[in-house]
Amino acid sequence: MLLKDEVEMLRRITLFSGLPPAKLKLLAFTSDRVMYSMGEDLFHQGDIGDAAYVILSGNADVLVSTPNGQLKVAEVEQNSIVGEIAILCNTPHTATVKTTTPLEALRIRKDDFLKLLADFPEMAVEIMRVLADRLSQTTSELTEARSRAQRAEA
């Protein structure tokens, strides 16, 4: 894939869609293209977050460790980003991301990602929207799961 193709892929990510072409080129240039086979992990729950990943092609599951094993909480696919929470919150990854197909991604290093946020505050607002949507969805799913568990106990 050529640099111009990577720039076009980044433009499709809602998070980056408002960035000027020159910044998208710089982001694509400073990012690393990484390839994963089916069944490989991009990162593990508990690892320190050092990069975010823009999915160029392929799919992966987002898995959270529970006492009963790993629980799939989401899927990621082309034009999505993962790993940004650990970078933003300066905390370990909250989940493991495991590929379900061969996957190609752009790995954006933490320092480059944070510099981009400092240069473009509107991007930080978009990240807050994405994270708020995820939190809302997770809260709804937990509420539903709790209701099912209570009904099963009754």
Side-chain angles (χ1 to χ4, degrees):
M1 187 178 285
L2 301 171
L3 182 63
K4 69 180 181 88
D5 296 327
E6 290 176 353
V7 168
E8 187 54 38
M9 292 296 279
L10 286 170
R11 181 175 285 122
R12 293 181 193 152
I13 308 295
T14 305
L15 199 56
F16 303 126
S17 62
L19 295 179
K23 277 294 180 185
L24 289 173
K25 281 183 185 175
L26 181 61
L27 181 60
F29 183 74
T30 59
S31 300
D32 302 313
R33 174 161 309 164
V34 289
M35 306 284 286
Y36 294 90
S37 299
M38 186 173 127
E40 283 191 86
D41 295 338
L42 274 70
F43 51 81
H44 296 96
Q45 181 176 343
D47 287 352
I48 299 301
D50 64 349
Y53 297 81
V54 174
I55 309 303
L56 300 175
S57 67
N59 299 300
D61 287 340
V62 179
L63 307 166
V64 175
S65 295
T66 71
N68 298 327
Q70 288 192 318
L71 174 66
K72 178 180 167 181
V73 295
E75 293 178 24
V76 292
E77 55 190 21
Q78 184 175 335
N79 297 333
S80 58
I81 185 169
V82 293
E84 77 285 7
I85 294 174
I87 289 175
L88 293 170
C89 299
N90 209 24
T91 60
H93 286 290
T94 57
T96 295
V97 175
K98 181 182 285 294
T99 62
T100 56
T101 67
L103 186 139
E104 184 176 13
L106 283 180
R107 186 169 96 70
I108 304 169
R109 288 182 295 281
K110 180 178 184 174
D111 291 343
D112 295 332
F113 191 76
L114 294 177
K115 175 150 181 25
L116 201 57
L117 288 178
D119 292 346
F120 295 92
E122 63 274 14
M123 196 173 132
V125 171
E126 185 58 36
I127 287 176
M128 285 189 294
R129 283 189 188 116
V130 168
L131 296 179
D133 286 344
R134 287 185 194 170
L135 179 59
S136 176
Q137 181 179 351
T138 300
T139 301
S140 295
E141 290 170 1
L142 286 172
T143 301
E144 178 60 30
R146 183 175 287 155
S147 293
R148 283 193 308 268
Q150 289 172 344
R151 285 192 302 265
E153 290 174 0

PDB file of all heavy atoms in Angstrom, residues 28-49:
ATOM      1  N   ALA A  28       0.616   9.082   8.632  1.00  0.00           N
ATOM      2  CA  ALA A  28       0.837   7.837   7.887  1.00  0.00           C
ATOM      3  C   ALA A  28       2.329   7.537   7.777  1.00  0.00           C
ATOM      4  O   ALA A  28       2.759   6.390   7.944  1.00  0.00           O
ATOM      5  CB  ALA A  28       0.209   7.932   6.499  1.00  0.00           C
ATOM      6  N   PHE A  29       3.133   8.563   7.551  1.00  0.00           N
ATOM      7  CA  PHE A  29       4.571   8.377   7.387  1.00  0.00           C
ATOM      8  C   PHE A  29       5.239   7.921   8.679  1.00  0.00           C
ATOM      9  O   PHE A  29       6.146   7.095   8.663  1.00  0.00           O
ATOM     10  CB  PHE A  29       5.211   9.677   6.888  1.00  0.00           C
ATOM     11  CG  PHE A  29       6.676   9.556   6.618  1.00  0.00           C
ATOM     12  CD1 PHE A  29       7.133   8.883   5.496  1.00  0.00           C
ATOM     13  CD2 PHE A  29       7.593  10.106   7.486  1.00  0.00           C
ATOM     14  CE1 PHE A  29       8.493   8.752   5.250  1.00  0.00           C
ATOM     15  CE2 PHE A  29       8.957   9.989   7.250  1.00  0.00           C
ATOM     16  CZ  PHE A  29       9.414   9.313   6.128  1.00  0.00           C
ATOM     17  N   THR A  30       4.783   8.458   9.816  1.00  0.00           N
ATOM     18  CA  THR A  30       5.410   8.112  11.099  1.00  0.00           C
ATOM     19  C   THR A  30       4.843   6.832  11.703  1.00  0.00           C
ATOM     20  O   THR A  30       5.378   6.328  12.680  1.00  0.00           O
ATOM     21  CB  THR A  30       5.255   9.264  12.118  1.00  0.00           C
ATOM     22  OG1 THR A  30       3.869   9.534  12.322  1.00  0.00           O
ATOM     23  CG2 THR A  30       5.971  10.519  11.641  1.00  0.00           C
ATOM     24  N   SER A  31       3.778   6.317  11.127  1.00  0.00           N
ATOM     25  CA  SER A  31       3.171   5.072  11.620  1.00  0.00           C
ATOM     26  C   SER A  31       3.883   3.862  11.023  1.00  0.00           C
ATOM     27  O   SER A  31       4.499   3.950   9.960  1.00  0.00           O
ATOM     28  CB  SER A  31       1.695   5.019  11.244  1.00  0.00           C
ATOM     29  OG  SER A  31       1.008   6.111  11.801  1.00  0.00           O
ATOM     30  N   ASP A  32       3.776   2.752  11.724  1.00  0.00           N
ATOM     31  CA  ASP A  32       4.346   1.498  11.235  1.00  0.00           C
ATOM     32  C   ASP A  32       3.220   0.628  10.717  1.00  0.00           C
ATOM     33  O   ASP A  32       2.199   0.458  11.386  1.00  0.00           O
ATOM     34  CB  ASP A  32       5.049   0.744  12.375  1.00  0.00           C
ATOM     35  CG  ASP A  32       6.145   1.565  13.015  1.00  0.00           C
ATOM     36  OD1 ASP A  32       6.946   2.153  12.282  1.00  0.00           O
ATOM     37  OD2 ASP A  32       6.188   1.613  14.269  1.00  0.00           O
ATOM     38  N   ARG A  33       3.419   0.050   9.540  1.00  0.00           N
ATOM     39  CA  ARG A  33       2.450  -0.914   9.027  1.00  0.00           C
ATOM     40  C   ARG A  33       2.794  -2.264   9.633  1.00  0.00           C
ATOM     41  O   ARG A  33       3.934  -2.705   9.577  1.00  0.00           O
ATOM     42  CB  ARG A  33       2.508  -0.991   7.520  1.00  0.00           C
ATOM     43  CG  ARG A  33       1.581  -2.104   7.055  1.00  0.00           C
ATOM     44  CD  ARG A  33       1.187  -2.059   5.689  1.00  0.00           C
ATOM     45  NE  ARG A  33       0.690  -0.754   5.361  1.00  0.00           N
ATOM     46  CZ  ARG A  33       0.544  -0.358   4.127  1.00  0.00           C
ATOM     47  NH1 ARG A  33       0.839  -1.135   3.150  1.00  0.00           N
ATOM     48  NH2 ARG A  33       0.077   0.828   3.859  1.00  0.00           N
ATOM     49  N   VAL A  34       1.789  -2.908  10.250  1.00  0.00           N
ATOM     50  CA  VAL A  34       2.002  -4.209  10.875  1.00  0.00           C
ATOM     51  C   VAL A  34       0.990  -5.205  10.327  1.00  0.00           C
ATOM     52  O   VAL A  34      -0.136  -4.843  10.002  1.00  0.00           O
ATOM     53  CB  VAL A  34       1.903  -4.121  12.418  1.00  0.00           C
ATOM     54  CG1 VAL A  34       3.104  -3.378  12.995  1.00  0.00           C
ATOM     55  CG2 VAL A  34       0.627  -3.443  12.868  1.00  0.00           C
ATOM     56  N   MET A  35       1.440  -6.445  10.202  1.00  0.00           N
ATOM     57  CA  MET A  35       0.595  -7.521   9.677  1.00  0.00           C
ATOM     58  C   MET A  35       0.483  -8.606  10.748  1.00  0.00           C
ATOM     59  O   MET A  35       1.467  -8.920  11.407  1.00  0.00           O
ATOM     60  CB  MET A  35       1.219  -8.129   8.424  1.00  0.00           C
ATOM     61  CG  MET A  35       1.548  -7.130   7.328  1.00  0.00           C
ATOM     62  SD  MET A  35       0.123  -6.587   6.435  1.00  0.00           S
ATOM     63  CE  MET A  35      -0.213  -8.015   5.453  1.00  0.00           C
ATOM     64  N   TYR A  36      -0.714  -9.151  10.888  1.00  0.00           N
ATOM     65  CA  TYR A  36      -0.968 -10.224  11.847  1.00  0.00           C
ATOM     66  C   TYR A  36      -1.677 -11.368  11.136  1.00  0.00           C
ATOM     67  O   TYR A  36      -2.519 -11.138  10.266  1.00  0.00           O
ATOM     68  CB  TYR A  36      -1.858  -9.731  12.993  1.00  0.00           C
ATOM     69  CG  TYR A  36      -1.197  -8.678  13.855  1.00  0.00           C
ATOM     70  CD1 TYR A  36      -1.329  -7.329  13.547  1.00  0.00           C
ATOM     71  CD2 TYR A  36      -0.445  -9.038  14.958  1.00  0.00           C
ATOM     72  CE1 TYR A  36      -0.728  -6.362  14.328  1.00  0.00           C
ATOM     73  CE2 TYR A  36       0.167  -8.072  15.745  1.00  0.00           C
ATOM     74  CZ  TYR A  36       0.019  -6.740  15.430  1.00  0.00           C
ATOM     75  OH  TYR A  36       0.625  -5.786  16.191  1.00  0.00           O
ATOM     76  N   SER A  37      -1.351 -12.570  11.531  1.00  0.00           N
ATOM     77  CA  SER A  37      -2.060 -13.753  11.049  1.00  0.00           C
ATOM     78  C   SER A  37      -3.289 -13.966  11.916  1.00  0.00           C
ATOM     79  O   SER A  37      -3.398 -13.402  13.015  1.00  0.00           O
ATOM     80  CB  SER A  37      -1.165 -14.988  11.139  1.00  0.00           C
ATOM     81  OG  SER A  37      -0.022 -14.826  10.345  1.00  0.00           O
ATOM     82  N   MET A  38      -4.198 -14.793  11.435  1.00  0.00           N
ATOM     83  CA  MET A  38      -5.382 -15.130  12.223  1.00  0.00           C
ATOM     84  C   MET A  38      -4.943 -15.757  13.560  1.00  0.00           C
ATOM     85  O   MET A  38      -4.039 -16.587  13.598  1.00  0.00           O
ATOM     86  CB  MET A  38      -6.245 -16.120  11.445  1.00  0.00           C
ATOM     87  CG  MET A  38      -7.561 -16.423  12.109  1.00  0.00           C
ATOM     88  SD  MET A  38      -8.558 -17.446  10.997  1.00  0.00           S
ATOM     89  CE  MET A  38      -8.928 -18.774  12.098  1.00  0.00           C
ATOM     90  N   GLY A  39      -5.566 -15.294  14.650  1.00  0.00           N
ATOM     91  CA  GLY A  39      -5.275 -15.845  15.972  1.00  0.00           C
ATOM     92  C   GLY A  39      -4.160 -15.145  16.732  1.00  0.00           C
ATOM     93  O   GLY A  39      -3.863 -15.505  17.871  1.00  0.00           O
ATOM     94  N   GLU A  40      -3.564 -14.122  16.148  1.00  0.00           N
ATOM     95  CA  GLU A  40      -2.502 -13.380  16.837  1.00  0.00           C
ATOM     96  C   GLU A  40      -3.099 -12.243  17.658  1.00  0.00           C
ATOM     97  O   GLU A  40      -4.161 -11.717  17.343  1.00  0.00           O
ATOM     98  CB  GLU A  40      -1.509 -12.798  15.833  1.00  0.00           C
ATOM     99  CG  GLU A  40      -0.533 -13.789  15.271  1.00  0.00           C
ATOM    100  CD  GLU A  40       0.579 -13.097  14.503  1.00  0.00           C
ATOM    101  OE1 GLU A  40       1.575 -12.697  15.127  1.00  0.00           O
ATOM    102  OE2 GLU A  40       0.417 -12.948  13.280  1.00  0.00           O
ATOM    103  N   ASP A  41      -2.373 -11.838  18.695  1.00  0.00           N
ATOM    104  CA  ASP A  41      -2.791 -10.734  19.550  1.00  0.00           C
ATOM    105  C   ASP A  41      -2.091  -9.445  19.129  1.00  0.00           C
ATOM    106  O   ASP A  41      -0.878  -9.435  18.934  1.00  0.00           O
ATOM    107  CB  ASP A  41      -2.451 -11.015  21.011  1.00  0.00           C
ATOM    108  CG  ASP A  41      -3.221 -12.190  21.583  1.00  0.00           C
ATOM    109  OD1 ASP A  41      -4.285 -12.531  21.032  1.00  0.00           O
ATOM    110  OD2 ASP A  41      -2.758 -12.759  22.590  1.00  0.00           O
ATOM    111  N   LEU A  42      -2.879  -8.357  19.029  1.00  0.00           N
ATOM    112  CA  LEU A  42      -2.277  -7.043  18.816  1.00  0.00           C
ATOM    113  C   LEU A  42      -1.650  -6.566  20.117  1.00  0.00           C
ATOM    114  O   LEU A  42      -0.571  -5.988  20.125  1.00  0.00           O
ATOM    115  CB  LEU A  42      -3.328  -6.029  18.348  1.00  0.00           C
ATOM    116  CG  LEU A  42      -3.618  -5.960  16.862  1.00  0.00           C
ATOM    117  CD1 LEU A  42      -4.340  -7.179  16.362  1.00  0.00           C
ATOM    118  CD2 LEU A  42      -4.381  -4.708  16.533  1.00  0.00           C
ATOM    119  N   PHE A  43      -2.380  -6.792  21.210  1.00  0.00           N
ATOM    120  CA  PHE A  43      -1.882  -6.498  22.555  1.00  0.00           C
ATOM    121  C   PHE A  43      -2.712  -7.283  23.557  1.00  0.00           C
ATOM    122  O   PHE A  43      -3.760  -7.823  23.214  1.00  0.00           O
ATOM    123  CB  PHE A  43      -1.892  -4.996  22.861  1.00  0.00           C
ATOM    124  CG  PHE A  43      -3.199  -4.305  22.584  1.00  0.00           C
ATOM    125  CD1 PHE A  43      -4.241  -4.359  23.491  1.00  0.00           C
ATOM    126  CD2 PHE A  43      -3.381  -3.576  21.422  1.00  0.00           C
ATOM    127  CE1 PHE A  43      -5.446  -3.715  23.238  1.00  0.00           C
ATOM    128  CE2 PHE A  43      -4.577  -2.930  21.152  1.00  0.00           C
ATOM    129  CZ  PHE A  43      -5.609  -3.002  22.069  1.00  0.00           C
ATOM    130  N   HIS A  44      -2.202  -7.351  24.792  1.00  0.00           N
ATOM    131  CA  HIS A  44      -2.860  -8.128  25.852  1.00  0.00           C
ATOM    132  C   HIS A  44      -3.414  -7.217  26.940  1.00  0.00           C
ATOM    133  O   HIS A  44      -2.811  -6.181  27.259  1.00  0.00           O
ATOM    134  CB  HIS A  44      -1.862  -9.088  26.507  1.00  0.00           C
ATOM    135  CG  HIS A  44      -1.344 -10.124  25.583  1.00  0.00           C
ATOM    136  ND1 HIS A  44      -0.149  -9.983  24.907  1.00  0.00           N
ATOM    137  CD2 HIS A  44      -1.860 -11.313  25.197  1.00  0.00           C
ATOM    138  CE1 HIS A  44       0.052 -11.039  24.163  1.00  0.00           C
ATOM    139  NE2 HIS A  44      -0.963 -11.861  24.306  1.00  0.00           N
ATOM    140  N   GLN A  45      -4.513  -7.637  27.521  1.00  0.00           N
ATOM    141  CA  GLN A  45      -5.077  -6.946  28.670  1.00  0.00           C
ATOM    142  C   GLN A  45      -3.995  -6.874  29.740  1.00  0.00           C
ATOM    143  O   GLN A  45      -3.329  -7.857  30.040  1.00  0.00           O
ATOM    144  CB  GLN A  45      -6.298  -7.716  29.186  1.00  0.00           C
ATOM    145  CG  GLN A  45      -6.985  -7.063  30.362  1.00  0.00           C
ATOM    146  CD  GLN A  45      -8.248  -7.831  30.765  1.00  0.00           C
ATOM    147  OE1 GLN A  45      -8.784  -8.631  30.019  1.00  0.00           O
ATOM    148  NE2 GLN A  45      -8.718  -7.564  31.966  1.00  0.00           N
ATOM    149  N   GLY A  46      -3.808  -5.689  30.309  1.00  0.00           N
ATOM    150  CA  GLY A  46      -2.814  -5.508  31.364  1.00  0.00           C
ATOM    151  C   GLY A  46      -1.478  -4.991  30.875  1.00  0.00           C
ATOM    152  O   GLY A  46      -0.696  -4.458  31.665  1.00  0.00           O
ATOM    153  N   ASP A  47      -1.182  -5.133  29.565  1.00  0.00           N
ATOM    154  CA  ASP A  47       0.069  -4.589  29.016  1.00  0.00           C
ATOM    155  C   ASP A  47       0.007  -3.062  29.022  1.00  0.00           C
ATOM    156  O   ASP A  47      -1.064  -2.476  28.871  1.00  0.00           O
ATOM    157  CB  ASP A  47       0.292  -5.049  27.576  1.00  0.00           C
ATOM    158  CG  ASP A  47       0.682  -6.511  27.459  1.00  0.00           C
ATOM    159  OD1 ASP A  47       0.933  -7.156  28.498  1.00  0.00           O
ATOM    160  OD2 ASP A  47       0.718  -7.013  26.317  1.00  0.00           O
ATOM    161  N   ILE A  48       1.158  -2.433  29.144  1.00  0.00           N
ATOM    162  CA  ILE A  48       1.223  -0.976  29.066  1.00  0.00           C
ATOM    163  C   ILE A  48       0.965  -0.556  27.614  1.00  0.00           C
ATOM    164  O   ILE A  48       1.527  -1.127  26.685  1.00  0.00           O
ATOM    165  CB  ILE A  48       2.613  -0.465  29.517  1.00  0.00           C
ATOM    166  CG1 ILE A  48       2.876  -0.861  30.978  1.00  0.00           C
ATOM    167  CG2 ILE A  48       2.730   1.045  29.329  1.00  0.00           C
ATOM    168  CD1 ILE A  48       1.854  -0.336  31.958  1.00  0.00           C
ATOM    169  N   GLY A  49       0.110   0.430  27.437  1.00  0.00           N
ATOM    170  CA  GLY A  49      -0.229   0.902  26.095  1.00  0.00           C
ATOM    171  C   GLY A  49       0.853   1.812  25.541  1.00  0.00           C
ATOM    172  O   GLY A  49       1.138   2.850  26.129  1.00  0.00           O
TER     173      GLY A  49
END
